[in-house]
């Protein structure tokens, strides 16, 4: 029997996937527990409309995130830091501090999107990776100065 999964089912498949399973498993478990629906002409149409809408929403999201990327790509974020002997920085700059600075600039970027390769604890300019979406990534420059 062909079915459309309504939720992710462990060791079976992912949501919105069309699968061939045994009649008993489909009727007695998947459909009974509202994890799937039988594949009919109507259910296929509904799935196609849903997937088309999801793709359109995803495309719009990527487009808006690309605008943010283009606005931030050439910017430098500066931090005043305290230093000790031999210009050694006290502490380090965290992803939260970078995200807060971006919020001050008017860009609402979560700290989880800021990826640090190494700690920012040396004076100078460092490149930091920003991952807004799997298709939208870019590097921003962070400057540490006295």
């Amino acid at each position: 029997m062909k079915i459309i999964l309504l939720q992710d089912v462990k060791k079976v498949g992912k949501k919105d996937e069309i699968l061939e399973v045994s009649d008993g498993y489909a009727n007695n478990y998947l459909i009974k527990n509202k994890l799937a629906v039988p594949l009919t002409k109507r259910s296929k149409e509904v799935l196609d409309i849903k997937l088309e809408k999801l793709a359109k929403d995803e495309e719009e999201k990527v487009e808006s995130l690309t605008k943010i990327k283009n606005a931030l790509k050439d910017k430098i974020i500066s931090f005043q830091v305290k230093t000790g002997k031999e210009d050694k920085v006290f502490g380090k700059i965290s992803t939260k501090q970078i995200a807060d600075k971006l919020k001050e600039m008017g860009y609402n970027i979560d700290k989880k999107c800021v990826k640090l390769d190494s700690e920012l604890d040396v004076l100078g300019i460092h490149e930091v990776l920003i991952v807004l979406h799997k298709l939208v990534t870019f590097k921003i420059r962070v400057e540490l100065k006295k």
Side-chain angles (χ1 to χ4, degrees):
M1 172 183 253
K2 287 196 171 219
I3 56 153
I4 299 172
L5 290 177
L6 299 175
Q7 299 176 18
D8 290 352
V9 179
K10 211 176 217 179
K11 296 184 181 177
V12 177
K14 300 240 181 244
K15 180 180 178 181
D16 298 331
E17 201 173 335
I18 298 173
L19 297 172
E20 179 83 38
V21 295
S22 68
D23 291 354
Y25 183 60
N27 290 322
N28 297 328
Y29 180 71
L30 295 174
I31 296 171
K32 182 179 173 186
N33 292 320
K34 295 183 178 28
L35 299 173
V37 293
L39 180 68
T40 61
K41 188 176 182 182
R42 178 67 185 140
S43 64
K44 177 73 171 136
E45 288 172 5
V46 170
L47 177 66
D48 290 341
I49 291 168
K50 181 181 174 186
L51 291 177
E52 190 176 300
K53 183 182 182 312
L54 284 173
K56 186 178 177 186
D57 290 347
E58 185 76 9
E59 189 177 303
E60 289 173 1
K61 184 178 179 183
V62 167
E63 195 174 298
S64 68
L65 292 174
T66 303
K67 288 179 184 173
I68 293 172
K69 169 188 171 180
N70 292 335
L72 285 175
K73 198 168 35 175
D74 298 324
K75 302 251 191 228
I76 296 177
I77 301 174
S78 296
F79 287 96
Q80 286 292 134
V81 292
K82 292 183 180 177
T83 58
K85 291 181 180 175
E86 300 173 14
D87 290 336
K88 183 78 174 146
V89 175
F90 290 126
K92 59 186 174 201
I93 301 298
S94 67
T95 56
K96 183 176 181 346
Q97 288 171 302
I98 294 170
D100 289 343
K101 190 71 115 175
L102 289 169
K103 276 190 181 121
E104 286 175 22
M105 295 169 65
Y107 301 100
N108 193 12
I109 295 176
D110 190 42
K111 70 178 185 177
K112 294 174 188 163
C113 296
V114 180
K115 309 292 183 199
L116 293 176
D117 294 338
S118 60
E119 296 177 346
L120 301 181
D121 57 0
V122 180
L123 292 178
I125 295 179
H126 307 273
E127 286 199 338
V128 175
L129 183 67
I130 308 286
V131 181
L132 298 177
H133 186 274
K134 63 184 175 188
L135 300 174
V136 184
T137 62
F138 63 99
K139 291 192 178 199
I140 193 167
R141 291 187 306 255
V142 176
E143 180 182 21
L144 302 183
K145 57 186 177 183
K146 287 192 215 181

